[in-house]
Amino acid sequence: MTITTTDRTTVPGTGTTGTYGHYPQLCGTNTGPHSYVDLSCTSTDEATISFTLGDSSNNQYKVKVTQYSCNDQCIASREGCFQYFTGVTGTINSYNLANSGQLATLDYKNCIRQEAGYCCIEYTVISWAVSAEACAAAATRCASASTCTSEYIIIPNVINSGNVDLNYDRFCGVNLNPVGFPAANLPIRTCQCPFEFSHVTGITALGGTGAAATEDGFSIKYRQIPGGC
């Protein structure tokens, strides 16, 4: 899916003091997901949600807007978290997963609150089709900056217990595992805090400018791992 030129939702830069985080254009079906927009401590800051409806299709939207105190426990303690998850376990889905269509123009961060006594986090695939890489061999591995160039996930400081010299933080393709091949999904684990999971896609189209690719997006289950921090 490329940038939609008819129907989309945008959150422009907010406030006069500064703009925080990345706010992508969204479209498709997004029933249930939440999104956070950061504001400064200036009371005159504003957040604006804009809808562009340029065709005759049956567009529907219903958005709940909630303001939170900077001291509220259910918001991130740092800027730039477009989605923020709490709890020892949970599920992270890409936007428009219900339509099996990954969106272009994405560059945002999912943040997971570190729960007390939990020092590491593990991600396990429910579904994964982030880009066209086949993950079948080292040359087409679904990890590293050299092969994951347009659509990818960033998970900082992933642990590779099989080979400590192969540590990647960028993942793409049709499978997810610590070294990017063979073509099989394996759990991804990191002990770097804060827990972050970023999603980046092509600026003008999936697979690069003008390219066509079938990319559904992802659904990932996470679980935090207890230990001595």
Side-chain angles (χ1 to χ4, degrees):
M1 178 177 290
T2 60
I3 299 174
T4 176
T5 57
T6 56
D7 310 308
R8 60 188 180 275
T9 305
T10 57
V11 183
T14 57
T16 56
T17 303
T19 300
Y20 306 93
H22 293 276
Y23 306 118
Q25 298 184 90
L26 300 178
C27 59
T29 300
N30 295 290
T31 303
H34 67 277
S35 302
Y36 284 92
V37 177
D38 295 324
L39 298 173
S40 75
C41 294
T42 302
S43 62
T44 55
D45 277 4
E46 297 180 353
T48 303
I49 303 175
S50 299
F51 295 89
T52 300
L53 306 176
D55 61 18
S56 59
S57 61
N58 184 21
N59 298 292
Q60 297 181 352
Y61 58 89
K62 183 178 181 180
V63 180
K64 178 182 179 181
V65 178
T66 304
Q67 294 190 49
Y68 290 101
S69 164
C70 296
N71 298 318
D72 201 301
Q73 290 296 311
C74 67
I75 66 170
S77 59
R78 57 197 184 278
E79 298 168 2
C81 298
F82 194 53
Q83 290 199 304
Y84 184 63
F85 298 87
T86 61
V88 173
T89 62
T91 301
I92 303 173
N93 296 326
S94 57
Y95 288 98
N96 199 40
L97 183 66
N99 276 349
S100 298
Q102 187 171 230
L103 303 179
T105 78
L106 300 181
D107 184 358
Y108 69 93
K109 183 164 54 182
N110 301 284
C111 301
I112 301 98
R113 184 181 67 190
Q114 182 185 6
E115 303 298 343
Y118 291 83
C119 299
C120 301
I121 192 168
E122 183 178 81
Y123 302 97
T124 305
V125 167
I126 300 173
S127 65
W128 181 273
V130 173
S131 65
E133 282 77 16
C135 318
T140 58
R141 72 171 74 243
C142 297
S144 83
S146 61
T147 51
C148 301
T149 59
S150 183
E151 286 78 55
Y152 51 87
I153 301 300
I154 299 175
I155 304 173
N157 201 24
V158 165
I159 298 170
N160 176 19
S161 57
N163 187 340
V164 295
D165 294 326
L166 291 176
N167 291 319
Y168 299 108
D169 62 2
R170 187 181 292 200
F171 303 91
C172 58
V174 295
N175 293 105
L176 176 66
N177 65 58
V179 296
F181 79 98
N185 291 317
L186 296 174
I188 294 282
R189 181 177 295 190
T190 179
C191 296
Q192 180 166 316
C193 297
F195 300 142
E196 297 179 351
F197 184 103
S198 300
H199 187 194
V200 178
T201 62
I203 298 301
T204 58
L206 298 182
T209 302
T214 300
E215 302 170 5
D216 296 341
F218 63 83
S219 179
I220 291 286
K221 181 178 180 180
Y222 73 82
R223 71 178 183 96
Q224 299 190 36
I225 302 169
C229 300

